[in-house]
Amino acid sequence: LKCGSSAARVNRLGRNNRHGPFALQRAKHQQAKGFSAQSGRGTMGGASSFIAMLSIAAFLGLAWTATKLSQLAKVSSIVLEITTGVVFGPSVLGLVAPEYAECQYKRHVMCDAPADLSERVANGKNIGEGLTMIASMGYCPKDHYFHDEAGHSEGTHAEAGHDDAHVANADAGHDAAHAAAEHGEAHGMAAHDGEAAHAAHRRLSGGGGDYATYEECLVKSCESFVSHECQLTPDFFTLIGHAGVALMIFESGMHFDFEKAAQVGPRACCVAVIGTILPLVSGAILTVIFGRPFMPDGVSVGTALAPTSVGIALRLLSEAKVLQHDFGQAIITAAFVDDILSLVLFNVLFSLTGEFNVMATVVNPIIGIAFMAVAMVGAVKFWPKFINEVLLPKVRNVEGSKSSRKDEVLFFLMVVVLLTYATTTFFLGTH
């Protein structure tokens, strides 16, 4: 039996809440792509995910090929790997479907404002599912933006009273009309002052921005909501990328030489300070030159340019086989210090977006930095003695085992310490 037309299926999904908040968008997307219940493409059980798996395998194979070609050419593989991702990703050739490289909220929650948004809001018409959802979540209460309607109403009545007074002047006498006119002008001026105060008033909305109008609040809060949700539940490749970056930073810590870091520490700290201040200042200046305000745009751009990628620096130094040299350790040390300084800048920037939260902006970062300092001291003083003198002597290797029992214990301890440190610094806001 046929399920009916695509339009009928769209309407049924839109009325049925059991399909989730994105059912209507998914149904429209399927209708636009020509979805059919009989589109099994020859497979016995109907539609299959084999093509999707084959595409991902081909994409990963191309990335691996780019790495090998770079090694044969004796150059860094980073550039060719990035180029492969851009060319064969969803934005160019589309070897990977957008569903795997784009957050579901970004695909389904539409924050685009209609051209006549103000008119639709004023007349109570449909403003789109994404903006309607934001309006229902309380991010932009209307009373904070339309609280002067009563003033306008009073001003209108006052003006009407003023006109009535002039009309009544012929019959009721000049004194009565003059009194009514003065009364109307007073109300009219009050309404005008209320309007001016409302225009000057800019509400800090729950969406995390300073907005002048209700319509701007809806759009910006919707974009902020989508960005926040995509950070909590990223798409497949973004999640893998985050895991890869975390492992690269973990690997950089494994190659950190504390003895050489002590030798190059002062010079590395100077490099880190300069490497933090120069991007901050130059980014802010360029932003102002391009016509954007210094606060918050200029500071935001400068802060975004300040951090150094420890993972990329480690990768380049490892490929060049200079990581254990003095200048290699100086670069890694400077990158670590630079990230700590950038963390302070980020917390200062976040404190400028709204109410100053002492706990989140000052106390937690200080505790997090102190925790990292204690962890570094522990890595030099405590863990080597504990591992070599206490833990490993109690571990016995099993004869005939493919892997050493001591290596397994060390690997397990590394993972436990990694997760403990990462979780602690995450909740302190310094992760």
Side-chain angles (χ1 to χ4, degrees), residues 113-401:
D116 56 344
L117 178 59
S118 300
E119 181 181 351
R120 294 191 182 191
V121 171
N123 297 329
K125 296 182 179 179
N126 181 25
I127 58 176
E129 296 182 18
L131 299 183
T132 301
M133 178 186 67
I134 295 298
S136 65
M137 295 174 68
Y139 285 121
C140 306
K142 284 190 174 182
D143 56 345
H144 288 268
Y145 294 94
F146 300 104
H147 60 276
D148 61 335
E149 289 181 354
H152 283 294
S153 178
E154 290 179 3
T156 303
H157 287 296
E159 291 175 359
H162 184 273
D163 294 337
D164 290 341
H166 280 290
V167 174
N169 186 37
D171 299 328
H174 177 73
D175 294 337
H178 183 70
E182 289 181 349
H183 181 73
E185 288 177 359
H187 278 285
M189 293 177 63
H192 178 73
D193 293 341
E195 182 179 358
H198 176 65
H201 175 69
R202 297 177 66 87
R203 176 181 176 270
L204 183 65
S205 76
D210 192 12
Y211 309 126
T213 64
Y214 179 71
E215 293 78 9
E216 181 187 3
C217 179
L218 287 178
V219 175
K220 297 300 183 181
S221 297
C222 182
E223 294 173 353
S224 177
F225 171 80
V226 171
S227 176
H228 176 73
E229 293 298 330
C230 287
Q231 292 177 23
L232 296 178
T233 56
D235 58 87
F236 175 72
F237 279 100
T238 300
L239 185 61
I240 292 179
H242 290 173
V245 171
L247 292 177
M248 289 179 66
I249 297 175
F250 175 62
E251 184 183 4
S252 66
M254 296 173 61
H255 292 279
F256 194 82
D257 191 332
F258 286 97
E259 294 181 359
K260 291 185 177 181
Q263 299 175 1
V264 301
R267 289 175 291 175
C269 290
C270 292
V271 173
V273 172
I274 296 174
T276 302
I277 295 178
L278 284 183
L280 175 64
V281 175
S282 59
I285 292 176
L286 288 175
T287 303
V288 174
I289 291 176
F290 279 101
R292 304 295 298 180
F294 176 76
M295 288 291 295
D297 296 13
V299 177
S300 301
V301 172
T303 304
L305 295 174
T308 301
S309 175
V310 178
I312 298 297
L314 172 67
R315 179 77 174 273
L316 293 174
L317 294 172
S318 299
E319 291 180 351
K321 298 180 180 180
V322 295
L323 182 60
Q324 298 305 322
H325 290 64
D326 289 345
F327 68 88
Q329 289 297 313
I331 293 174
I332 290 296
T333 304
F336 278 118
V337 177
D338 184 276
D339 282 351
I340 295 176
L341 296 177
S342 299
L343 177 67
V344 176
L345 289 178
F346 274 115
N347 281 277
V348 172
L349 178 63
F350 293 153
S351 67
L352 300 177
T353 60
E355 297 181 359
F356 184 78
N357 190 332
V358 177
M359 193 67 186
T361 307
V362 179
V363 178
N364 285 347
I366 292 177
I367 296 176
I369 295 174
F371 177 78
M372 287 189 287
V374 172
M376 293 178 65
V377 174
V380 178
K381 302 295 184 180
F382 171 74
W383 287 112
K385 293 182 179 180
F386 173 77
I387 292 173
N388 295 323
E389 299 177 8
V390 179
L391 183 61
L392 292 184
K394 297 181 180 180
V395 179
R396 297 180 180 180
N397 289 326
V398 179
E399 297 182 359
S401 177

